[in-house]
Amino acid sequence: MRNPFERNADEQRPARGMRQRGELAPADEAEQRGRERRARTSQAGRPARGSRGTQAPDQQGRGRGHKPRRPKKPSRLGMLVGNWWNRLISAVYSGSLSSQTEQYTAHNTTQDYIWNSVGLGAWGVVFPVLSVVTTQLIGVEPAGRFSMAFVTGTLLLFIANYGVRTFQVSDLAEKHSFSDYQANRVVTCVVMLVVGILYCQLRGYDPQMFTLCMGMFVYRAIDGLADVYEGRLQQMDKLYLAGISQAIRSAAVIVAYSVVILITRSLGAAGIAMAVAAAASFVLLTLPLTFFETPKSKKLSLGSVKDLFVQCFPLFVALFLYNLIDNMPKFAMEGVLSYDNQLYFNALFSPAHIIIMVIGFIYKPQLMRLAEIWADPKRRGRFDIIVLAVLAIIVALALGVAGFMGTVGIPIMSFLYGVDFEQFRGLCYVMVATGGVCAAIDFLYQIITVLRRQKAVTRVYLLTLGFSLFVPPLLIGFTGLPGAVLGYLIVMCILLVLLVTEYLSIHAELSETLKSYRKPARTDRPSATPSPSPED
């Protein structure tokens, strides 16, 4: 029996069949549906006369018996962001980040290479991309100011890092807890910011340059703080997560700076935007990701933190001195040449920086495995083979980059920066050669650090610093920008020769150690035919 309310409702509205035929004769429900189906089939979508009100919904796909549309499936990126946000909120409500269950696997070499390359690449292109953006939006001279602030911030970053990253990832026995590494990094980041403020006051920068530098220094300090957390992920063999963290932070900085400088045309405001973007990515991603995906650390030990400062001091001195040597031509140009020369120098260095980055992609993911090879005396012969192979790759890569710049590279640079770099073609080749030298220096330094012989490098850098204090300034005074580029190459070649000499000295000691290891094995073997041993 039909519901009376349904019957009354049907009586109150005219039947569909009556509206389509223009007649008021009643029809039962089955006949009405049949007529409607036949009408739709015969008309093939043509609106019937006098039935516009019912056909309009049909043309939109709502009145023909179609099933309702399914809700749109969220994208994979949207699902990842949503799941991460839910995981983050859950951890906050539980009151502990480190108590969360790990969701990502370790020992994934392919992912390590891919995402570490993406992270290093994103980190490496921040400077050239933002230099191009600044040049195109507000001019060459402001871009030179940005370049100087970025160079200074990068140098101060080595105060924050304190040379601990390589030491941390090769600490396989976890002699120092992660809490010790965190405490060490907080102290060094604070020191970095204090030194940065003092440097700006010493230089007497105007308010806009001071604001830009402060934003840049805070961004670099957060970069340094995040480095110890990403080092923890690498130590736990989850380097790909560290690469993702680094890539997202770098992308956020590029977007924030570009948007703000596009709107405000202010270097100071754009510098502050960089700091805010870096801080947000650290709080929302890097920090919780590390606690989620690594074991809970042991308690803080002040004695261990002090030991870290002592152990890594030679690393810090060596790295800081190296980067001071590396940037000495830029500091020598400031105050002598106009700021647009800073842009030209750094733009010419971009191809050289590509060489350094690519070599880093190759060997940095394997630093922990290189430490394992070194720890096994039977496998130390492979160590030198790896060193020679990487050096050969550096030479080949430098030649390839030089060929690229000689054909299409320089026109591309001219287009991106809006400056004619054809006039600097010879300087570009010199800078590419310098990039190969710098890549070899960086690689040899990392190898010596893995060997725990970093103290031997300090005197090499101190000696080279003496050359850098007078060679670039002298050549800059004579020839300007060409003198800065040529002086840079001369100083880096001196450093490479000294570093290779130091490594060969270490190699000789390793050979003696290896001989002493193999000698007992020969004396223990009897001269007669040996009986089968358990190992056989």
Side-chain angles (χ1 to χ4, degrees), residues 164-172 181 227 230-236 239 364 367-369 371 450 452:
V164 170
R165 176 66 178 265
T166 305
F167 189 93
Q168 178 187 8
V169 301
S170 57
D171 184 10
L172 303 179
Y181 287 108
D227 178 76
E230 291 161 357
R232 175 63 169 174
L233 290 168
Q234 183 178 4
Q235 187 184 28
M236 296 295 104
L239 180 60
K364 285 187 177 179
L367 282 176
M368 189 176 69
R369 290 172 176 81
V450 169
R452 294 295 190 259

Side-chain angles (χ1 to χ4, degrees), residues 473-488:
L474 184 64
L475 294 177
I476 289 171
F478 279 117
T479 61
L481 180 62
V485 176
L486 186 59
Y488 186 34

Side-chain angles (χ1 to χ4, degrees), residues 255-278:
V255 172
Y257 179 93
S258 301
V259 170
V260 172
I261 202 169
L262 175 64
I263 296 173
T264 66
R265 296 297 199 274
S266 169
L267 283 174
I272 294 174
M274 295 175 73
V276 172

